[in-house]
Amino acid sequence: MTDHPRLGVVIATRDRCERLAVTLRQLRSLPERPEILVADNASTDGTRAMIARDFPEVRVLALPVNHGALARNHGARALDTPYVAFSDDDSWWAPGALGRAAELFDAHPRLGLIAARTLVGPAAAPDPLNDVLAGSPLGPASDLPGTQVLGFLACGAVVRRHAYLDAGGFHRLLFFGGEETLLAYDLAARGWGVTHCPDVVAHHHPAPAARPRRPALQRRNAVLTAWLRRPVPYALARTGALAAEARGDDQARRALRETLTRLPAALRERRPLPPHVERAARLLEPERTTV
């Protein structure tokens, strides 16, 4: 179904067959008609059979175990399009958004990742992160579109495939939950631009049901990201703050326990940011944002 050979969409999914079908119908109707690849994290709910039956033009990468966010890495490697957009099984792209992203990548060779403007739910309400990204104190760069950032929503990101793979993609140690900041750091450390471009629009329709483990995963991964890339005093301070919270917070206790389990691996894979990227990360600290 591909009419736009420069664009592919990778969807990481696991056991959300019905929501994935909605997303695939939306993506299939895009005027850009991108190649669509589903990286299936060992679903057991009939996801693969549904795709084969209802969306035979969609490629499926059948992963034997759950790889979490790393499924996106496998999907990007399986595509050969120069630009790759990520969707979750509850998100899709506005008509024309991917074509606009391709134009921006074509015009700006250093651009590695576009953080889209995300609209949430049937009412298309602006995600609060949009304003945070737009107000990033990193500002513009002469050779990049939009505003420079150091964070994004994975379900609203388009990447230059070469840059994404050059930076290593999403990190295996984080698995899932707040995995975006580390990738933004790694892209910037290798000289790639990461920017918020509000004329590239994604739609996100998250399920109303709570995801009870997500807060602990995000807190764990924030501390692991600090140990993987930030100065030791900073990482120690983040760990100490989590330990203090753990005295009276079950989610923090879980996050601390999982952080300590993964800490030896994080120390082995530690690679501090170059000074200019560390300065940018510090500039964002007072606001305590993810950008």
Side-chain angles (χ1 to χ4, degrees):
M1 67 176 287
T2 301
D3 284 358
H4 208 310
R6 296 181 297 164
L7 289 167
V9 178
V10 169
I11 307 168
T13 190
R14 176 177 169 84
D15 289 337
R16 301 222 295 177
C17 179
E18 293 182 5
R19 299 188 71 83
L20 175 63
V22 174
T23 291
L24 291 175
R25 283 194 290 271
Q26 294 287 341
L27 293 174
R28 188 171 60 178
S29 70
L30 291 178
E32 297 95 334
R33 296 178 60 81
E35 180 173 0
I36 303 170
L37 184 147
V38 173
D40 179 52
N41 275 315
S43 291
T44 59
D45 66 345
T47 288
R48 298 174 192 177
M50 179 276 291
I51 297 172
R53 182 186 67 244
D54 299 336
F55 304 95
E57 73 281 10
V58 171
R59 290 177 59 188
V60 177
L61 183 62
L63 300 172
V65 297
N66 183 6
H67 288 265
L70 268 71
R72 301 184 189 116
N73 298 357
H74 294 294
R77 291 190 190 100
L79 289 177
D80 58 6
T81 56
Y83 311 135
V84 176
F86 294 118
S87 288
D88 286 347
D89 45 29
D90 58 5
S91 72
W92 50 85
W93 294 92
L98 297 183
R100 177 58 179 154
E103 292 172 356
L104 293 172
F105 282 118
D106 288 346
H108 301 89
R110 192 169 72 84
L111 181 59
L113 183 147
I114 292 171
R117 178 165 58 96
T118 305
L119 304 178
V120 181
D127 190 294
L129 186 61
N130 294 339
D131 287 342
V132 177
L133 294 170
S136 168
L138 301 182
S142 60
D143 62 339
L144 295 171
T147 302
Q148 296 179 97
V149 295
L150 283 178
F152 58 95
L153 289 176
C155 68
V158 191
V159 299
R160 187 183 302 273
R161 179 175 176 273
H162 169 67
Y164 177 78
L165 297 178
D166 178 54
F170 290 100
H171 199 285
R172 64 172 188 81
L173 192 60
L174 304 188
F175 190 74
F176 181 76
E179 67 272 18
E180 295 94 340
T181 297
L182 182 57
L183 176 58
Y185 285 168
D186 288 347
L187 284 163
R190 297 187 72 84
W192 294 105
V194 180
T195 70
H196 172 56
C197 298
D199 50 346
V200 177
V201 177
H203 290 274
H204 188 202
H205 286 236
R211 303 170 82 173
R213 287 209 62 212
R214 192 171 181 86
L217 293 174
Q218 290 175 323
R219 292 159 92 171
R220 177 197 78 188
N221 286 344
V223 177
L224 289 173
T225 295
W227 281 109
L228 284 161
R229 298 292 182 264
R230 305 297 300 276
V232 169
Y234 176 87
L236 284 169
R238 292 297 300 262
T239 308
L242 181 61
E245 294 167 2
R247 289 197 289 267
D249 184 324
D250 288 342
Q251 291 284 350
R253 274 194 292 276
R254 174 180 289 181
L256 180 63
R257 185 167 58 249
E258 295 186 6
T259 296
L260 296 176
T261 299
R262 291 163 172 76
L263 187 56
L267 293 174
R268 287 194 299 271
E269 298 185 33
R270 178 173 167 77
R271 190 171 68 246
L273 296 173
H276 72 284
V277 182
E278 174 59 29
R279 286 193 297 271
R282 286 282 181 179
L283 187 62
L284 297 162
E285 284 303 314
E287 287 76 25
R288 295 193 176 277
T289 68
T290 59
V291 300

